[in-house]
Amino acid sequence: MESGYVTTPFGRRPMSLGMLASQQLAETIEPGMKRSKWKLFRAICEARPALGVSDRALTVLDALLTFYPDDEISEEKGLIVFPSNAQLSLRARGMTPATLRRHLAVLVEAGLILRKDSPNGKRYARRDRAGAIGEAFGFSVAPLLARAVEIETLAAQAVADRELLRVTRERLTLCRRDISKLIAAALEEGVSGDWEGISAMFRALLARIPRVATAEDLALHLDEMGLLRAEVVNMLERRLRTKKIDANESQIEHHKQNSNPDSIYELEPSFETKQGEKAAADNDPNAGPSDERRLKQQKPSGGMSNRAEGAADPGAGPGLKSFPLGLVLQACPSILDYGPGGSIGNWRDLMSAAVVVRSMLGVSPSAYEEACSGMGPENAATVIACILERGGHINSPGGYLRDLTRRTERGEFAIGPMLMALVRANGLTARHAS
């Protein structure tokens, strides 16, 4: 700051600690620091909400900067502008004097400009014989230069937040469109499933989206919508794969009948082969290589349904789709206390915590091993976390886990609805607690 000492406002305007802090900040300008006044002004416009100034106040700041003689603000060229209220009002789009004073006060309180009042409150400059300004009284733009890095950082964050909000809103719109049209396609094609319940869940999710939402709010709704979309896609893929299997079976049957219509032997095994048939075939000395290959290819009916659930990650089970770890922890925060060091940062930590919780819940090692084999270790750990989150609602965690494993093998269980219900329940609990 040019004065080098504390300056107080003229007349009845009081001094405040905020003004004193702004004056001290203005004295910390690094030597040789320069900034384009219009680039800095655009950054202030971007960061306006964080700086706590209105658009009308920015109009006044814009007018003030037009009185600064150079494009770059620097200490060498002076930091004081001294327009009269009449001149400032003209450049502020004809703003009335009372409104002008009010918004000048807002800029001072926000720490963007400083007052350097003369003894009589007038704004002017004293010049030497060469015409150079020796001392000036008016408004100092020193805080703009002192806070330039802070303002630019706030502006960059505001731009990033706005872009994140735009992208999240677009993704949510696409997800809503996908779910709506997939449900319509399922109803049109007569795909079996509780489509009325899914439609009601979809409408409930839509009703919960606020008209004015932050990126964080929309991200939460996007996660829930994504779960619902994944479940709808899995149901439709299961129908497609079932139709493909039926078509393949019809072609195989047609081929057998045409290739040897007089044969009394059925060379292709049924998908509902009972246990022991493979052992019998292994003991049959007449069984040929082609029969062995066919027996190796046979799977129970549940296995086919599992594959219809959709592709899973390499660590996931054959029939379940794994979900992001962050979503699992959002739905099941209680499992965090059992992770290594009281936190969970990756799937390995979650599986370690699940082993501890499995023992605490009284789930036998064999039941958990079966779940890992049938669902995949990540999904088995996720189910254990869900069981822990539901607490006293499950009387026999071990029996419940075995039942879910059997339902998984039959293609009748999906983790998505369970996670979505817990996410919603935790959201309601957090809202009630706040």
Side-chain angles (χ1 to χ4, degrees), residues 9-45:
F10 171 78
R12 296 181 180 179
R13 288 192 296 269
M15 183 66 177
S16 67
L17 292 179
M19 293 180 186
L20 181 60
S22 296
Q23 293 182 29
Q24 291 177 345
L25 178 63
E27 294 176 356
T28 62
I29 299 174
E30 297 180 3
M33 188 173 185
K34 298 179 180 180
R35 283 295 188 277
S36 168
K37 63 181 180 182
W38 298 123
K39 289 182 179 179
L40 191 56
F41 178 73
R42 282 193 293 271
I44 294 172
C45 292

Side-chain angles (χ1 to χ4, degrees), residues 168-205:
T168 306
R169 185 179 288 116
E170 286 180 353
R171 290 177 179 173
L172 184 60
T173 300
L174 291 174
C175 192
R176 290 171 58 180
R177 186 184 70 190
D178 292 346
I179 295 173
S180 177
K181 294 196 173 184
L182 288 172
I183 292 176
L187 295 174
E188 181 72 20
E189 298 290 336
V191 178
S192 60
D194 183 17
W195 297 109
E196 290 298 327
I198 292 176
S199 298
M201 185 182 299
F202 179 48
R203 290 192 296 270
L205 289 177

Side-chain angles (χ1 to χ4, degrees), residues 240-400:
L240 290 176
R241 297 191 181 207
T242 302
K243 291 175 66 175
K244 184 177 180 180
I245 291 168
D246 293 341
N248 289 340
E249 288 178 342
S250 298
Q251 292 175 3
I252 291 171
E253 183 66 23
H254 181 68
H255 172 70
K256 289 187 297 180
Q257 293 174 356
N258 290 341
S259 60
N260 190 1
D262 297 328
S263 174
I264 62 174
Y265 298 101
E266 185 179 17
L267 298 179
E268 296 295 335
S270 168
F271 282 106
E272 297 183 356
T273 305
K274 301 296 187 295
Q275 291 182 355
E277 287 187 9
K278 183 180 186 301
D282 291 339
N283 296 326
D284 185 359
N286 296 322
S290 61
D291 300 320
E292 292 179 1
R293 283 195 298 271
R294 282 189 290 271
L295 287 170
K296 289 179 181 178
Q297 292 171 354
Q298 87 181 39
K299 297 290 182 183
S301 59
M304 301 305 297
S305 298
N306 284 344
R307 288 195 299 273
E309 284 285 340
D313 292 341
L320 289 182
K321 176 181 177 64
S322 62
F323 292 92
L325 177 62
L327 182 60
V328 174
L329 297 180
Q330 181 185 352
C332 310
S334 299
I335 195 72
L336 290 168
D337 297 333
Y338 300 92
S343 64
I344 293 176
N346 51 52
W347 281 106
R348 185 184 298 276
D349 293 346
L350 178 64
M351 289 186 281
S352 299
V355 172
V356 176
V357 172
R358 185 273 306 164
S359 177
M360 184 188 71
L361 294 175
V363 176
S364 66
S366 62
Y368 188 61
E369 289 175 5
E370 291 176 6
C372 289
S373 176
M375 303 177 182
E378 286 87 353
N379 287 324
T382 299
V383 171
I384 288 292
C386 292
I387 293 175
L388 173 66
E389 196 67 29
R390 295 181 66 180
H393 295 85
I394 300 174
N395 295 326
S396 175
Y400 183 63

Side-chain angles (χ1 to χ4, degrees), residues 90 217 228 329 365 391 397:
L90 288 175
D217 295 334
L228 184 59
L329 297 180

